[in-house]
Amino acid sequence: MGTGRTQGGWPVTTKILVAEDEPFIVESLTFLLSREGYSVDSISDGGEVVDAMHRIRPDLLILDIMMPSSNGFDILQKIRITPNLKSTPVLVLTAKGQDADRRRMLELGANDFMTKPFSNAGLVAKVGDLLPGDGKAEEQVI
Amino acid sequence: MARLPIGQRVRDARNELGLTQLALAKSAGISPSYLNLIEHDKRLIGGALLGRIAKALEVSVDHLSGTDDPLLAQQMIDLVRSQALPDTDEKDALQLVGERPKWARNVIGLHHKYQEAAETAFALSDRLSQDPTLMELSHAMLTQITSIRSFAEILEEVADLEPEERLRFSSIIASQSDRLGSSAREMINLLSGPRNALNLTSPEKEVDDFIVWHGNHYPSLEDAAYQLHVRLSQKRNTLEGAITDILTGDHEITIRFVADAGQQERMNLVEKSLLLDETALDTTTRFQLARALVEIELADMIAEIADSERLTSEESRRRCRQALANYAAGALLFPYHEFLETAENQRYDIERLGLKFHGSFEQIAHRLVTLRRPGAEGVPFAFLRADPAGNLSKPFGIPGLPMPRFGGACPLWAIYIALSSRDRTISQMAVMPHGERFIFVARRLSKRAVGFGAPRTTYAVMLGCDATYSDRIIYGDSFVPGRISQENQVGFTCRSCPRERCAQRAQQSVRATPASTGPDQRARQGGEDVKS
C-alpha cells in the first residue's frame, strides 16, 4: 500500500507525480492511485516536469511521452542525468507500441511501460512493482 | 517480335474448319509430319509458310502468328522480366501468348491489379507513418479510448463510489465516446475523403500509359499538322514567320517576350496573349510558337483524343492535352514524310537533323520516336528521360526493351553515363542478360540558367533501338560486330538481372540465375528450333 514505508516509526506517504496532458486520464489515474493510498500530483506541461520533480521529490514518475510542448525522450534523458532525480523510477505511458520507441526509452532509463489503452489493474500492479519498499517488494522480503 | 509458339492456334483453327492434319498439310504444301511438328511447337514458323497455312485455314496471318496483339506478347515479356516468377522464362511467356491468348490477357490484367494494389498499400503505409493529421488523430483516439476504458473499469470495479463520482465518471465516458466518434469520422473522411487524395495512379503515369497505349502515334494529328504545314508553306515567309503571322493576324494574339515566362501562364486565350521567354534558345521559341498555334487550330481534335476513359481526372486530361499539343507541334515543325526521309538519309543523326530542321536534341529525339505510321515506319525507338536524382520520366518502350516506370533502370545504361558527360552524345551497345542487343544513344541536356546564381536544370534523354538496325543509324557505326570489348553487359533493372557479379549491383536479383549468359548461350537459344 501507499503508506507501506516508514520513517522513524511513522508511515510516510508514497508520492507519485503524473506528467500527462489529458485531463481525464489525469483524473482517472489520480482517483485510482489515491484509492491505493498514494499521494498524487499531476503536471500537464512537459517543459515543467523536471522542475516539479525537484519540488515534489516523487517516489515514482508516470510520464506520458506523447505530451505536446516537450519530447518525452528529452525529459527522461534530463531526469537520468540530474543527480537528485536519476534514481527515481519512471513508468512511461505510450501510445506507440513500436519496438524502436520502447528500446529507445529503455536505453534512456525508463523502468517500465504502459501502452494506452491500459487496464486499471495492470497500471496499479506496475506502480506497485516499481516502488521500492512498497507493496510486493515488501512481501518478498518477508 | 520473337516468333510465338502457335501450334495450338493452328490446331484450333484447323479443328474449327473440320480439317484433318493431312488435308491442311496438303493445301499448305508441307508434309503431315512437318505440320505435326508445327502443331506441337517443335518448329516455330513465319514468312511464306505461315502465310500459306493462314490462307488454308481462312484466318489472317496476324491472327495465327499472334501479331494481331503485339502488345500482349510484349507485356508478358515485361512481366517475366520485372517479377520473380519461379521456373518461368520469356519463352514460357510467349508460349502462353501463342497457345492461350485469353489466359495471357487475364494474367496481364491480374498483374495490373496486383501492381495497383501494391502501390496502394505502399502509399497507405507511407501515409499512415508520415501524415501528421493521421498521427494526431490516432493519438487522440487512443487517448479517448484510454479514458473510456479506465472510467468504465472504475464504474464496474469500485463498489463504494459516491453517487456524484458515479455521475461524473459516466458523463466523462459519454463525452469521451462522443469525441471518439467524431475522431473516427474525421479519420474515415481523411482516408476516403476526396477521391484523389489516395489516387495512386498519378496524372503523369496515366498520361505515360495513354501514350504507350497509342503507340505514340496519332494519325489524325499527323494529318491535321501536315495540312497546317502546307498552309504555312504557302505564305512567303519562314515557317516560324508564317506561324507568327497566323497567330498575330488570324488569331489576334499578342506575343510578348518577358524575362521569366516559365513562371507564368504561357498562353491566355481570353486576353489573347502569348508569353515567350526572352532568354530561351531559338529552337525553344520556335517550338513554343508552333505549340501555341496547334493549341488554337487543333484544339478540338486534341480535346477529343484526350477525352478518353483511360484518363480518370481532369488533371490527367489537361496533361494529356499538353502532351498532344507538343506532339502536334513536333509534327508541324518536322513534317512526317520529309522528316522520315531526311532521317533515313542522315542515318538518324540527331544533331544533323536538329540543324536541318532547326530543332533541339530533345525535340528531334521525341519526333524520331513518333515515326510509326503503318507502311512508312522509321526505326522503332524507345525513349527515356532521367534527372540527376534518378527520377525517370516519359518512358516509352519498344518490343523487347521496356522502359522502367518506377524506380531506376540499370545503372550501366548510357542515360546515366550521359548525365555526367557534358556536350557529348553517348552511344552504347547494350547487351542484355539473355543476349538481346540494343543501341542506346543518350545526351545530357541543360536548360540555361538565367542570371547569376540561378541553378541549371539538367537531365538526360536516351533513345534505344534494336541492334539489328545498327546499319541504318549512324550510332551503330562505332560498333564492329563481334568486338566484345565494345559491348556493355547490362540489364533492365537490378531486381530482374542475373549478372551476380556486376559491380554496379544495387539490389539482390530475384531471378533464377542462368549458369552463363554470354553470347554462346544466346546463339544456342536463338538459332536452334527456328525455321520457316
Side-chain angles (χ1 to χ4, degrees):
Chain A
M1 290 302 282
T3 50
R5 288 192 315 166
T6 58
Q7 193 174 35
W10 295 94
V12 176
T13 309
T14 304
K15 287 183 283 190
I16 296 176
L17 177 62
V18 176
E20 163 69 73
D21 64 312
E22 269 302 317
F24 294 133
I25 294 182
V26 171
E27 188 171 341
S28 76
L29 288 178
T30 305
F31 177 86
L32 284 168
L33 296 170
S34 302
R35 277 179 61 86
E36 298 293 317
Y38 301 113
S39 154
V40 183
D41 285 288
S42 70
I43 185 154
S44 61
D45 184 342
E48 291 173 11
V49 174
V50 175
D51 284 348
M53 284 186 73
H54 277 301
R55 200 173 62 241
I56 298 164
R57 291 301 185 88
D59 299 287
L60 171 76
L61 172 69
I62 297 180
L63 173 66
D64 174 13
I65 58 158
M66 296 291 287
M67 272 191 297
S69 84
S70 186
N71 179 329
F73 295 115
D74 294 343
I75 297 173
L76 196 53
Q77 203 163 23
K78 214 164 176 183
I79 291 168
R80 288 296 175 243
I81 57 168
T82 305
N84 290 334
L85 308 177
K86 65 180 177 191
S87 54
T88 311
V90 178
L91 173 63
V92 169
L93 299 184
T94 170
K96 296 176 176 179
Q98 288 113 332
D99 289 348
D101 278 341
R102 288 180 166 243
R103 259 202 307 279
R104 179 94 202 281
M105 297 305 279
L106 281 175
E107 278 165 18
L108 291 176
N111 297 73
D112 211 337
F113 304 91
M114 286 303 282
T115 304
K116 292 178 184 177
F118 43 78
S119 75
N120 292 345
L123 181 102
V124 170
K126 269 202 177 152
V127 167
D129 286 348
L130 287 174
L131 284 166
D134 184 82
K136 285 179 184 169
E138 211 171 38
E139 286 162 25
Q140 279 164 6
V141 172
I142 296 165
Chain B
M1 194 177 72
R3 285 173 180 174
L4 299 174
I6 57 165
Q8 186 68 40
R9 289 181 186 224
V10 173
R11 205 156 49 237
D12 289 348
R14 179 172 61 74
N15 288 333
E16 257 176 53
L17 279 185
L19 285 178
T20 60
Q21 273 192 337
L22 191 66
L24 176 59
K26 198 175 165 193
S27 51
I30 52 175
S31 69
S33 59
Y34 193 61
L35 178 61
N36 194 44
L37 290 173
I38 293 168
E39 288 195 357
H40 289 91
D41 295 325
K42 305 282 189 213
R43 294 291 182 272
L44 301 183
I45 59 164
L49 175 56
L50 181 67
R52 291 207 302 276
I53 293 179
K55 198 174 167 201
L57 289 171
E58 299 169 18
V59 295
S60 73
V61 169
D62 283 348
H63 171 75
L64 209 53
S65 64
T67 47
D68 53 346
D69 198 351
L71 252 185
L72 184 61
Q74 191 49 48
Q75 286 172 321
M76 283 297 294
I77 288 177
D78 294 349
L79 189 151
V80 170
R81 282 183 182 159
S82 64
Q83 298 295 320
L85 302 176
D87 303 325
T88 310
D89 59 18
E90 287 162 28
K91 220 170 140 187
D92 297 321
L94 290 177
Q95 193 167 354
L96 187 66
V97 175
E99 292 177 2
R100 297 273 180 259
K102 277 184 209 160
W103 269 104
R105 261 187 283 276
N106 286 335
V107 168
I108 294 298
L110 286 171
H111 181 240
H112 279 161
K113 283 188 181 148
Y114 152 75
Q115 271 186 320
E116 274 169 26
E119 283 166 28
T120 309
F122 179 79
L124 272 174
S125 96
D126 192 51
R127 173 149 196 182
L128 286 173
S129 61
Q130 305 291 334
D131 190 310
T133 318
L134 267 179
M135 296 272 289
E136 205 173 293
L137 265 178
S138 46
H139 179 234
M141 288 171 82
L142 270 174
T143 303
Q144 289 144 12
I145 293 168
T146 305
S147 315
I148 293 170
R149 176 172 178 177
S150 184
F151 285 111
E153 283 183 10
I154 291 172
L155 285 176
E156 187 189 339
E157 290 162 9
V158 182
D160 55 345
L161 279 179
E162 298 294 329
E164 57 269 27
E165 280 178 328
R166 194 169 287 279
L167 193 66
R168 167 149 181 84
F169 296 166
S170 304
S171 71
I172 290 175
I173 291 175
S175 76
Q176 289 292 86
S177 302
D178 282 349
R179 281 176 59 189
L180 181 60
S182 41
S183 299
R185 276 191 295 276
E186 212 176 314
M187 188 175 270
I188 290 164
N189 283 341
L190 191 70
L191 287 173
S192 59
R195 269 297 292 155
N196 57 2
L198 270 178
N199 197 349
L200 301 150
T201 307
S202 66
E204 291 91 336
K205 293 215 180 338
E206 271 194 5
V207 174
D208 287 346
D209 284 347
F210 181 87
I211 291 168
V212 169
W213 191 77
H214 279 275
N216 201 13
H217 184 76
Y218 308 89
S220 56
L221 278 184
E222 288 286 353
D223 291 346
Y226 183 69
Q227 282 164 22
L228 193 52
H229 182 83
V230 170
R231 205 173 110 206
L232 293 167
S233 312
Q234 286 159 356
K235 298 199 173 254
R236 295 180 176 205
N237 205 335
T238 59
L239 189 57
E240 188 179 336
I243 293 172
T244 312
D245 283 351
I246 295 191
L247 277 174
T248 54
D250 296 7
H251 299 298
E252 299 172 333
I253 300 282
T254 309
I255 300 173
R256 286 192 295 135
F257 285 87
V258 296
D260 227 354
Q263 307 299 316
Q264 306 170 44
E265 192 184 8
R266 207 169 37 76
M267 189 154 74
N268 188 324
L269 285 175
V270 181
E271 291 176 16
K272 298 208 163 211
S273 68
L274 171 65
L275 296 185
L276 295 176
D277 203 321
E278 63 184 9
T279 59
L281 297 171
D282 290 348
T283 49
T284 307
T285 303
R286 196 166 173 268
F287 194 85
Q288 286 183 345
L289 284 168
R291 192 168 70 180
L293 185 61
V294 297
E295 276 176 6
I296 298 172
E297 296 261 339
L298 309 182
D300 292 346
M301 184 179 281
I302 286 173
E304 196 180 322
I305 298 173
D307 184 22
S308 157
E309 60 185 22
R310 291 181 172 269
L311 304 167
T312 59
S313 68
E314 182 46 37
E315 176 60 13
S316 300
R317 283 185 287 275
R318 189 187 66 78
R319 282 174 179 273
C320 184
R321 287 194 295 271
Q322 279 183 346
L324 291 170
N326 282 332
Y327 181 100
L332 174 63
L333 293 175
F334 318 124
Y336 196 96
H337 284 289
E338 190 188 342
F339 187 80
L340 174 63
E341 197 184 319
T342 317
E344 286 286 341
N345 291 338
Q346 301 288 340
R347 303 184 60 227
Y348 292 85
D349 186 325
I350 299 168
E351 278 136 300
R352 274 178 181 277
L353 285 167
L355 282 176
K356 165 109 176 111
F357 286 92
H358 309 293
S360 71
F361 191 93
E362 189 174 8
Q363 289 163 13
I364 299 294
H366 265 297
R367 185 56 172 149
L368 286 175
V369 179
T370 67
L371 301 178
R372 310 303 317 140
R373 175 173 291 180
E377 289 118 332
V379 169
F381 284 110
F383 187 91
L384 190 63
R385 196 165 92 153
D387 71 12
N391 297 305
L392 301 176
S393 52
K394 302 187 174 179
F396 183 77
I398 49 169
L401 182 60
M403 287 289 139
R405 297 174 65 227
F406 301 100
C410 169
L412 299 172
W413 281 13
I415 192 165
Y416 299 113
I417 302 168
L419 271 175
S420 56
S421 313
R422 207 170 186 165
D423 301 330
R424 197 155 66 91
T425 303
I426 306 289
S427 62
Q428 177 183 48
M429 176 66 79
V431 182
M432 296 298 164
H434 292 284
E436 312 92 317
R437 301 146 88 82
F438 299 97
I439 293 175
F440 288 158
V441 181
R443 191 177 173 95
R444 181 171 100 156
L445 305 169
S446 295
K447 287 203 173 130
R448 279 197 308 188
V450 179
F452 179 76
R456 285 173 81 89
T457 317
T458 303
Y459 53 98
V461 296
M462 184 175 89
L463 289 177
C465 74
D466 197 292
T468 52
Y469 294 102
S470 65
D471 52 346
R472 265 169 81 183
I473 66 172
I474 200 150
Y475 306 100
D477 293 359
S478 334
F479 308 108
V480 179
R483 283 273 171 85
I484 291 174
S485 64
Q486 294 179 341
E487 297 175 347
N488 289 171
Q489 307 284 318
V490 304
F492 291 97
T493 61
C494 282
R495 251 177 88 72
S496 67
C497 183
R499 300 189 196 279
E500 275 187 345
R501 272 176 282 175
C502 172
Q504 275 281 346
R505 179 167 287 290
Q507 274 178 308
Q508 202 50 45
S509 172
V510 292
R511 292 176 65 85
T513 313
S516 154
T517 52
D520 295 341
Q521 189 185 353
R522 176 176 175 260
R524 280 204 308 279
Q525 284 180 342
E528 208 168 58
D529 53 359
V530 181
K531 274 184 188 165
S532 63

